[in-house]
Amino acid sequence: MRKTFAGALAAALLMTTAACSGDDTGSGASTADPNEKVALTYWSWAPNMDKVVEGWNASHPNIQVTVNKQDGGDPAVAKLLTAIKAGSGAPDIMQAEYQKIPTLVAADAVADIAKETGDLKAKFPESAWNAVTLGGEAVYGVPQDSGPMMFFYRSDVFDKAGVQVPKTWDEYAEVARKIHKANPKQYLGTFSSNDPGWFAGLSQQAGASWWGVQGDSWTVAINDANTKKVADYWGGLVQEGVIDNKPMYTPEWNAALNDGTQVGWLGAVWGPGVLEGNAASTKGKWNTALLPNWDAAAPANGNWGGSATSVTSQSKHKAQAAEFVKWLNTDPAALKALAGTANVYPAANDATGVALTQPPAFFSNQPDFYALAAEAGKITKPFTYGPNVNVAYSAYNDAFGKAAEGKKAAGFGAALDTIQQATVGDLKNAGFTVAG
């Protein structure tokens, strides 16, 4: 199965999806029998998703969906894979992080719903659609939410220091130096050794794609030149001491946001909720900008996070489940509910116009927040994930944890080599063929 999956993925990556009109239904779309009454289960970790689903249940009496709240990330995947292997207990519908989809496809845990959903490609950013199709024609879910990266900064600190918002990474480094020199307790950012998804997004912006397929083999390029450039950049700033070296999402990091010693954050579009939850007293002092670029003349961006809604391979009601999945992620009322009730950033291109008309409460001082988010979401550099993301991410935590603690620039590049070796070794041990 592993070799077959690699070959299928290779074919998908080399195939060009047919041009589409953007209609909800395609010529090959299949629909559910409107007279059949079915009950579907949906595993999701998004908050208040049961309230979002109420809109569907009210208008679809024959297809009722029950939400079962789950833990996100690896626990959700492990639970689903256990149910799939047992042959029972799996839900009909599953919220799946983009980086986990190759793992779920390899395990035959999610279904291809291309015929059921029709042609939806034009309704989503290219990067999000690539994540659910693996670059081909099979559709393993519909994009639900995305995480284009953005730069959050304390505007009051910038004004006091007399610095401008950096548009390039060279400018970011200069601003970091000036702010830290003016107040040695203040840092523009931190290198986070416990957030591999954050670093993957920064690497994607630089042009990296850590996994790929060559024929019937996987390729792994975690220590390629693009990612090395990112690692060397952050290693240099950590060694210089002008940014912090402590992980994010810790009590120490939260305190730094509150007391004004952490005055910038390279986050994602969902960042306002994090800032409001961890530093509510600083409301009104933050502004948002696009991520700095390596080349201002050729802007690019990366994703940090995001998930799809997939139909599992064991669902007995594939057509009805796919009909719900399509509604959840394209219907204007559903998009409004996702944004306003579930507090996620919908991936659909139409979301900005129909659901994201007011800035997040924490950024009420910035009415153009979602216009910036839409610009940030124009991600053109695809990033392919492999079937052993968990191994690579675990190796990242270990290797970069040591590098950040050591505060030596050379250690950051060496960390990438360690992650590369661990990822390749695991693929080979699992029976995959690895090129190179």
Side-chain angles (χ1 to χ4, degrees):
M1 181 182 71
R2 293 190 177 102
K3 184 175 181 181
T4 300
F5 171 70
L9 180 55
L13 290 170
L14 293 173
M15 291 175 68
T16 301
T17 303
C20 58
S21 64
D23 293 334
D24 280 355
T25 58
S27 58
S30 63
T31 58
D33 179 354
N35 298 314
E36 182 182 6
K37 292 187 177 183
V38 301
L40 306 175
T41 55
Y42 174 25
W43 285 5
S44 173
W45 60 83
N48 303 317
M49 189 58 76
D50 55 335
K51 294 182 174 61
V52 175
V53 170
E54 286 175 0
W56 165 271
N57 288 337
S59 58
H60 295 78
N62 287 347
I63 307 175
Q64 294 290 286
V65 177
T66 299
V67 176
N68 289 336
K69 186 71 178 293
Q70 304 291 319
D71 293 329
D74 290 338
V77 171
K79 185 175 180 180
L80 177 64
L81 294 181
T82 298
I84 293 293
K85 185 176 182 179
S88 63
D92 297 277
I93 305 153
M94 174 75 174
Q95 182 179 354
E97 291 178 302
Y98 293 131
Q99 70 266 25
K100 301 296 185 182
I101 288 179
T103 300
L104 296 175
V105 173
D108 195 25
V110 291
D112 175 7
I113 55 173
K115 291 183 179 180
E116 287 74 19
T117 56
D119 196 350
L120 295 179
K121 181 179 180 181
K123 291 186 174 292
F124 298 94
E126 182 180 358
S127 59
W129 192 252
N130 182 75
V132 299
T133 62
L134 304 181
E137 294 182 341
V139 177
Y140 299 109
V142 175
Q144 176 174 297
D145 56 275
S146 62
M149 296 191 73
M150 303 179 78
F151 175 46
F152 305 104
Y153 64 97
R154 283 282 297 268
S155 55
D156 57 333
V157 174
F158 271 50
D159 291 342
K160 184 177 180 179
V163 296
Q164 301 296 313
V165 178
K167 289 183 167 53
T168 67
W169 288 114
D170 286 341
E171 291 176 0
Y172 178 93
E174 284 302 315
V175 172
R177 294 182 183 108
K178 290 178 180 178
I179 287 177
H180 189 61
K181 182 178 181 180
N183 184 344
K185 292 184 178 181
Q186 289 184 328
Y187 295 96
L188 183 58
T190 187
F191 182 85
S192 189
S193 60
N194 64 355
D195 285 287
W198 171 80
F199 187 76
L202 294 175
S203 300
Q204 178 184 11
Q205 184 202 36
S209 182
W210 289 353
W211 286 268
V213 173
Q214 181 178 313
D216 285 342
S217 302
W218 283 99
T219 62
V220 183
I222 296 174
N223 62 347
D224 73 336
N226 292 319
T227 309
K228 284 266 191 180
K229 176 172 67 174
V230 178
D232 290 344
Y233 174 84
W234 289 101
L237 292 180
V238 169
Q239 181 172 313
E240 192 177 342
V242 295
I243 66 161
D244 204 359
N245 67 329
K246 302 298 191 299
M248 295 182 281
Y249 296 104
T250 62
E252 185 177 7
W253 184 71
N254 293 342
L257 292 175
N258 276 285
D259 64 22
T261 54
Q262 192 72 218
V263 302
W265 179 35
L266 299 168
V269 67
W270 40 260
V274 174
L275 293 172
E276 184 172 24
N278 294 331
S281 63
T282 64
K283 180 180 178 181
K285 297 180 179 180
W286 292 84
N287 268 10
T288 311
L290 297 176
L291 211 64
N293 266 273
W294 293 103
D295 182 357
N301 201 10
N303 265 315
W304 180 13
S307 59
T309 321
S310 298
V311 177
T312 70
S313 57
Q314 290 187 0
S315 175
K316 296 179 180 179
H317 306 287
K318 183 179 177 183
Q320 291 93 336
E323 189 175 335
F324 165 76
V325 167
K326 185 171 69 171
W327 170 89
L328 180 66
N329 299 301
T330 63
D331 182 85
L335 294 178
K336 288 181 181 179
L338 283 176
T341 303
N343 297 315
V344 302
Y345 180 70
N349 294 327
D350 292 342
T352 301
V354 303
L356 305 171
T357 56
Q358 297 294 324
F362 192 80
F363 282 94
S364 58
N365 60 317
Q366 193 165 3
D368 66 341
F369 180 90
Y370 284 121
L372 282 172
E375 188 66 25
K378 296 176 181 178
I379 298 171
T380 58
K381 296 182 177 181
F383 190 95
T384 300
Y385 292 100
N388 63 341
V389 170
N390 60 321
V391 172
Y393 278 17
S394 177
Y396 172 95
N397 292 340
D398 293 339
F400 272 113
K402 295 175 182 176
E405 186 67 25
K407 298 184 181 181
K408 298 295 183 182
F412 283 65
L416 289 180
D417 295 334
T418 299
I419 301 167
Q420 173 80 8
Q421 293 169 7
T423 305
V424 170
D426 175 76
L427 281 174
K428 291 180 177 179
N429 289 337
F432 291 98
T433 302
V434 181

